[in-house]
């Protein structure tokens, strides 16, 4: 599993690093909307309520809104979706939401029954009932089970969708929470099983145990039946670390165990140490951006974004466990991507390593088997023009579930034996959610400001007249080495492309589409190239007469919300509509807000003069100007977002209002950074956004259009 990249994506946006106080105070003195940074303050929430009261009628009274909402909800709650599998204890587990269970069920079925068209499921946890019984809106955040028995699990639950979670111990065989079992109260935290009576826990232990970006940096050993106050400290980072410090326990089918302490001084890397009861911690001599991603047959698997001896960034490497435990690692290559390739995931089975990767943004997969002092490999047969991901593996067998999908290709779930030679066999397919017969997928390249070719995908109605009049939605992310890949359009296809709209995905720099080099090209003060790439794609769309500025809408969330804010302020002439989702926008004060300081490794810091000057130059909040003909944006966020925080969106909207510039602002009260408290919230947010784009790019609703939509 790519735990390090999951942590990077999950921890996007945190607090303040040492040395920033002076610059932050200067910015605050000139900022009339600091009071909106009081996330749950009465005055700020009253402002939010007033803004929502203006925005919601504008969108929800549009006759198209209810149709869009019904379509989005029907797709999100459909009972013929694929129940994605998790292999545990010889069973297939799944977390499931539908109209009857909007918060979700954790459930299981047998491996044999799962292969049938209608598996018989046994419910383990009903979050709707649990929430009703306890008077809290619990949101599922996953389960971590003790290896190799896979009976005792730690269940992570979030109230309302925040990143802060609580842990409860669950007995998978008995099907119930363990009476007087492990229970860790709410905190931003992590916990790993050392054995059935011992956890390695990072959490808020009290004053001085959390970084300035709100993550834990002290790892302690918690014994069964012991109060948290009696936990024994094993390892600690420092308050100034950008992220936190966490323990991880890795096992393989041969009974090998590796306990790691991962300290993240920077967002993308830090120190990795081996821990043993006898010797304590021993720091590994590996690059800061090299990460342990798996282990089989006593071989530890690494991924690196830094050069490592003769090994290039982006490589999957390995070393014997005994060597790793000694602290001195001499890496050997397992998989080295070419110039057009980038690793997307590394998974392990009982006896094999599965590497999924992309080649010019097309999905691929290979299987690696240990052989003597090296490895043998074989390619997995997969379709063209799709994205590939491993849905589930287990240490108990070489059984692999593979998920495949494309823009117009509904998700399929295939299975194969990693130790054999047979091609994957499809066992489940998602029924089509929209009419894809009327669209075609194209991949083009735009030329950016420095001459670099930037690929992008267009989903275009077949036979459309190329005269610049096609309503088009364009999105991108452009950060944190996260690649945006072809993904089934689903509700976007139903609500947008079926109605004659086009969809564009831009694979701009800052992401991981071509490995670490694609990401590093846009970090910190080099970041303007990301925004230039996005503009280049927009200009290429216009040059091809696919669309035009009067018919082009753009959207993005989180770091993608920052992208939208920059494009809104730098090139307002290129867009008719801009949706800015759960964004960073005040880049001068971002280190002070929520988890902001954890992203200094990506954005830079105002404590550095050169980086401060650049942040001031691009900060959307700092660069709104009176009298400019901006498009009317739609800005939305959530009150429960404790990662980026709603503060950025609020202040940006308030500044637009101060300057007499048009805007729409909406803040949902639940859902956290991802807006996923339940399926109804997701459908509502999608319907509001689609209504906004329809108003801007397709014109006012008509009775005939509304009837046709129904």
């Amino acid at each position: 599993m790519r735990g390090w990249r999951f942590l990077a994506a999950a921890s996007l946006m945190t607090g303040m690093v040492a040395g920033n106080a002076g610059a932050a105070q200067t910015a605050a003195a000139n900022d009339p909307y600091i009071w909106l940074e009081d996330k749950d303050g009465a005055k700020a929430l009253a402002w939010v309520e007033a803004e929502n009261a203006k925005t919601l009628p504008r969108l929800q009274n549009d006759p198209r809104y209810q149709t869009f909402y019904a379509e989005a909800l029907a797709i999100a709650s459909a009972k013929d979706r694929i129940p994605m599998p998790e292999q545990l204890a010889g069973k297939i587990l799944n977390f499931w939401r539908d109209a009857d269970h909007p918060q979700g069920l954790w459930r299981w079925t047998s491996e044999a029954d799962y292969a049938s068209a209608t598996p018989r499921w046994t419910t383990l946890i009903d979050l709707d009932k649990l929430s009703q019984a306890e008077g809290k809106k619990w949101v599922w955040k996953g389960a971590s089970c003790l290896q190799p028995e896979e009976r005792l699990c730690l269940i992570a639950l979030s109230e309302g969708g925040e990143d802060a979670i609580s842990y409860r111990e669950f007995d998978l065989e008995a099907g119930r929470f363990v009476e007087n079992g492990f229970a860790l109260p709410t905190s931003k935290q992590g916990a790993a099983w050392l054995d059935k009576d011992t956890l390695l826990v990072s959490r808020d232990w009290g004053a001085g145990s959390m970084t300035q970006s709100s993550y834990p940096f002290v790892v302690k050993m918690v014994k069964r039946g012991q109060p948290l106050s009696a936990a024994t400290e094993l390892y600690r980072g420092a308050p100034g670390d950008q992220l936190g410090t966490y323990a991880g326990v890795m096992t393989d089918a041969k009974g090998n165990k590796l306990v790691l302490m991962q300290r993240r001084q920077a967002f993308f890397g830090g120190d990795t140490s081996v821990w043993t009861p006898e010797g304590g911690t021993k720091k590994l001599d590996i690059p800061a951006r090299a990460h342990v991603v798996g282990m089989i047959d006593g071989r530890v698997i690494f991924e690196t974004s830094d050069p490592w001896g003769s090994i290039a960034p982006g490589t999957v490497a390995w070393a014997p466990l005994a060597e790793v435990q000694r602290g001195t690692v001499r890496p050997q290559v397992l998989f080295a991507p070419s110039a057009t390739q980038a690793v997307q995931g590394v998974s392990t089975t009982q006896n094999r390593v599965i590497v999924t990767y992309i080649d010019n943004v097309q999905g691929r997969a290979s299987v690696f088997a240990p052989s003597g002092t090296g490895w043998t490999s074989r390619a997995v047969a997969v379709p063209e023009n799709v994205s590939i991901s491993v849905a589930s593996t287990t240490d108990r067998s070489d059984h692999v579930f593979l998920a495949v999908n494309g823009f117009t290709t509904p998700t399929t779930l295939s299975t194969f034996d990693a130790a054999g030679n047979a091609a994957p066999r499809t066992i489940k397919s998602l029924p089509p959610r929209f009419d894809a017969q009327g669209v075609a997928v194209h991949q083009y390249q735009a030329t950016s400001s420095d001459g670099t070719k930037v690929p992008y995908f267009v989903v275009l109605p077949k036979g459309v007249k190329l005269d610049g009049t096609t309503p088009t939605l364009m999105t991108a992310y452009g950060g944190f080495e996260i690649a945006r890949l072809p993904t089934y359009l689903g509700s976007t296809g139903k609500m947008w492309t079926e109605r004659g709209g086009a969809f564009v995905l831009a694979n701009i720099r800052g992401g991981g589409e071509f490995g670490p080099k694609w990401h590093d090209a846009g970090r910190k003060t080099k970041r303007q190239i990301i925004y230039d790439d996005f503009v280049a794609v927009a200009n290429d769309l216009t040059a091809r007469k696919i669309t035009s500025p009067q018919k082009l809408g753009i959207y993005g969330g989180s770091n993608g919300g920052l992208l939208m804010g920059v494009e809104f302020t730098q090139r307002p002439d290129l867009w008719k509509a801009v949706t800015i989702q759960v964004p960073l926008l005040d880049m001068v004060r971002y280190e002070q807000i929520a988890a902001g300081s954890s992203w200094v490794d990506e954005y830079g810091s105002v404590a550095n003069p050169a980086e401060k000057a650049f942040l001031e130059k691009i900060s959307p909040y700092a660069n709104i100007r009176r009298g400019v003909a901006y498009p009317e944006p739609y800005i939305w966020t959530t009150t429960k977002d404790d990662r980026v925080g709603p503060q950025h969106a609020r202040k940006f909207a308030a500044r637009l209002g101060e300057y007499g510039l048009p805007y729409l602002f909406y803040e949902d009260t639940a859902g956290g950074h991802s807006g996923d408290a339940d399926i109804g919230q997701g459908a509502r947010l999608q319907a509001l956004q689609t209504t906004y784009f329809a108003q801007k790019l397709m014109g006012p609703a008509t009775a005939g259009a509304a009837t046709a939509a129904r």
Side-chain angles (χ1 to χ4, degrees):
M1 298 293 292
R2 295 191 108 189
W4 73 272
R5 187 158 295 167
F6 170 78
L7 175 64
S11 62
L12 175 59
M13 324 295 170
T14 3
M16 179 177 110
V17 296
N20 293 353
Q25 289 168 1
T26 299
N30 299 318
D31 189 343
Y33 299 111
I34 288 291
W35 57 276
L36 286 170
E37 293 184 13
D38 183 7
K39 186 169 79 74
D40 299 308
K43 182 180 178 183
L45 291 179
W47 179 90
V48 167
E49 185 177 0
E51 291 293 322
N52 287 353
K54 291 185 289 186
T55 295
L56 289 178
R58 154 79 178 272
L59 298 177
Q60 291 182 333
N61 290 343
D62 188 302
R64 292 167 289 198
Y65 170 78
Q66 285 299 332
T67 300
F68 289 148
Y69 176 75
E71 290 176 347
L73 185 62
I75 290 173
S77 61
K79 294 189 177 183
D80 59 357
R81 304 189 324 272
I82 298 175
M84 285 299 174
E86 180 182 10
Q87 300 176 72
L88 273 175
K91 302 179 176 70
I92 300 295
L93 279 78
N94 165 258
F95 183 72
W96 180 260
R97 286 172 167 174
D98 59 29
D100 299 325
H101 310 94
Q103 287 172 249
L105 303 171
W106 196 41
R107 58 189 189 167
W108 72 272
T109 189
S110 68
E111 291 183 353
D113 213 34
Y114 180 75
S116 70
T118 55
R120 293 165 295 181
W121 294 96
T122 299
T123 298
L124 294 167
I125 300 174
D126 184 326
L127 281 191
D128 296 271
K129 288 183 178 178
L130 183 66
S131 297
Q132 185 177 20
E134 298 184 353
K136 296 184 177 182
K137 188 159 190 172
W138 290 120
V139 176
W140 180 257
K141 292 293 183 178
S144 172
C145 301
L146 174 64
Q147 301 295 325
E149 297 88 353
E150 297 181 333
R151 174 173 177 170
L152 299 178
C153 302
L154 290 176
I155 307 301
L157 300 174
S158 161
E159 186 175 358
E162 296 176 335
D163 285 352
I165 58 173
S166 61
Y167 281 115
R168 302 186 197 182
E169 187 177 6
F170 191 87
D171 186 326
L172 198 58
E173 186 172 308
R176 61 175 179 267
F177 287 108
V178 176
E179 186 175 355
N180 299 319
F182 285 114
L184 304 179
T186 300
S187 174
K188 285 188 177 180
Q189 61 182 319
W193 291 96
L194 185 62
D195 57 49
K196 69 181 182 63
D197 295 317
T198 313
L199 299 178
L200 304 182
V201 178
S202 303
R203 58 172 285 112
D204 187 347
W205 301 105
S209 65
M210 302 290 279
T211 68
Q212 292 162 332
S213 55
S214 77
Y215 292 100
F217 67 87
V218 179
V219 179
K220 294 188 179 185
M221 180 183 291
V222 177
K223 304 293 290 187
R224 184 176 296 280
Q226 186 182 60
L228 291 180
S229 59
T232 304
E233 181 175 326
L234 299 181
Y235 185 74
R236 67 167 49 213
D241 292 349
Q242 290 181 23
L243 281 184
T245 298
Y246 299 90
V249 179
M250 194 166 289
T251 61
D252 67 15
K254 297 292 181 66
N256 295 302
K257 178 183 286 189
L258 177 63
V259 181
L260 299 171
M261 300 291 173
Q262 297 182 327
R263 177 188 176 193
R264 298 288 288 277
Q265 293 101 315
F267 189 88
F268 297 107
D271 294 341
T272 301
S273 300
V274 175
W275 179 86
T276 60
E278 304 80 15
T281 55
K282 182 181 299 182
K283 183 176 177 296
L284 295 181
D285 63 339
I286 64 177
R289 293 195 295 168
H291 306 272
V292 177
V293 293
M295 180 169 66
I296 69 162
D297 196 34
R299 302 180 182 204
V300 181
I301 314 301
F302 296 84
E303 217 183 312
T304 182
S305 292
D306 286 331
W308 189 359
S310 62
I311 291 177
T315 298
V316 180
W318 71 281
L321 174 60
E323 191 175 290
V324 172
Q325 288 175 327
R326 289 194 298 268
T328 302
V329 181
R330 292 168 294 180
Q332 302 175 62
V333 173
L334 187 146
F335 175 77
S338 72
T340 61
Q341 297 173 339
V343 173
Q344 287 301 292
V346 179
S347 304
T348 57
T349 69
Q350 186 175 43
N351 301 292
R352 298 292 187 267
V353 176
I354 317 296
V355 177
T356 54
Y357 59 100
I358 51 178
D359 193 338
N360 198 25
V361 206
Q362 311 284 338
R364 301 285 185 267
S366 291
V367 175
F368 295 83
S371 175
T373 59
W375 302 80
T376 61
S377 67
R378 70 175 179 91
V380 179
V382 297
E384 295 295 317
N385 300 315
V386 295
S387 60
I388 307 293
S389 63
V390 172
S392 177
T393 60
T394 174
D395 287 349
R396 295 187 172 205
S397 74
D398 291 310
H399 189 196
V400 179
F401 288 102
L402 200 67
V404 178
N405 72 102
F407 293 116
T408 60
T409 305
T411 303
T412 62
L413 185 70
S414 300
T415 183
F416 69 97
D417 179 3
N421 294 311
R425 174 177 56 89
T426 299
I427 59 168
K428 295 184 185 293
S429 298
L430 182 74
R433 299 307 190 200
F434 70 99
D435 181 7
Q437 296 301 311
V439 300
V441 179
H442 308 273
Q443 187 180 32
Y444 298 121
Q445 287 186 328
T447 304
S448 193
S449 57
D450 64 351
T452 298
K453 300 297 183 181
V454 178
Y456 68 94
F457 292 97
V458 180
V459 182
L460 194 64
K462 289 180 180 176
V464 67
K465 188 176 181 181
L466 297 180
D467 59 1
T469 64
T470 303
T472 300
L473 299 185
M474 175 177 165
T475 190
Y477 188 74
F480 294 89
E481 205 179 329
I482 295 171
R484 291 292 307 274
L485 305 177
T487 303
Y488 187 55
L489 290 182
S491 55
T492 299
K494 182 68 178 177
M495 294 155 53
W496 191 255
T497 63
E498 267 196 11
R499 291 173 169 87
F503 172 83
V504 177
L505 175 63
N507 300 117
I508 61 178
R509 276 171 284 188
E513 286 85 349
F514 296 99
K517 65 180 183 296
W518 201 245
H519 171 227
D520 289 343
R523 284 174 64 195
K524 297 189 176 182
T525 57
K526 297 181 286 185
R527 199 162 197 84
Q528 183 61 45
I529 201 64
I530 294 171
Y531 311 128
D532 291 353
D533 285 358
F534 195 81
V535 167
V537 173
N539 286 333
D540 202 62
L541 290 169
T542 298
R544 294 177 188 274
K545 297 186 178 180
I546 291 171
T547 191
S548 63
Q550 285 303 303
K551 288 293 183 177
L552 181 56
I554 59 176
Y555 71 92
S558 192
N559 173 74
L562 169 61
L563 169 65
M564 296 304 114
V566 173
E567 300 299 354
F568 174 85
T569 52
Q570 289 189 359
R571 292 303 306 270
D573 56 310
L574 291 181
W575 340 103
K576 179 66 174 178
V578 182
T579 292
I580 304 172
Q581 309 166 336
V582 289
L584 289 91
L585 292 168
D586 185 351
M587 298 308 292
V588 178
R589 281 183 56 78
Y590 87 92
E591 295 167 82
Q592 301 276 343
I593 299 171
S597 66
S598 65
W599 310 313
V600 167
D601 209 14
E602 176 78 8
Y603 299 122
S605 171
V606 296
N608 179 301
E611 293 171 356
K612 177 176 183 290
F614 179 76
L615 289 168
E616 290 174 337
K617 182 179 179 181
I618 68 160
S619 175
Y621 180 61
N623 284 283
I624 303 170
R625 298 290 180 257
R626 297 180 188 272
V628 174
Y630 295 109
E632 179 186 47
Y634 171 46
I635 309 152
W636 70 259
T637 186
T638 74
T639 309
K640 282 286 189 178
D641 184 355
D642 57 348
R643 193 182 309 171
V644 172
Q647 296 93 327
H648 291 270
R650 293 173 181 178
K651 292 170 65 178
F652 191 78
R655 178 57 54 81
L656 290 171
E658 175 191 346
Y659 290 175
L661 298 167
Y663 68 92
L664 295 173
F665 174 91
Y666 174 62
E667 182 172 318
D668 211 317
T669 57
H673 187 55
S674 55
D676 64 348
D678 56 51
I679 57 174
Q681 181 188 35
R684 179 173 65 254
L685 291 171
Q686 200 162 17
L688 290 170
Q689 177 171 300
T690 306
T691 301
Y692 161 77
F693 280 130
Q695 289 178 353
K696 291 295 181 182
L697 305 177
M698 293 182 170
T702 64
T707 301
R710 287 193 292 272

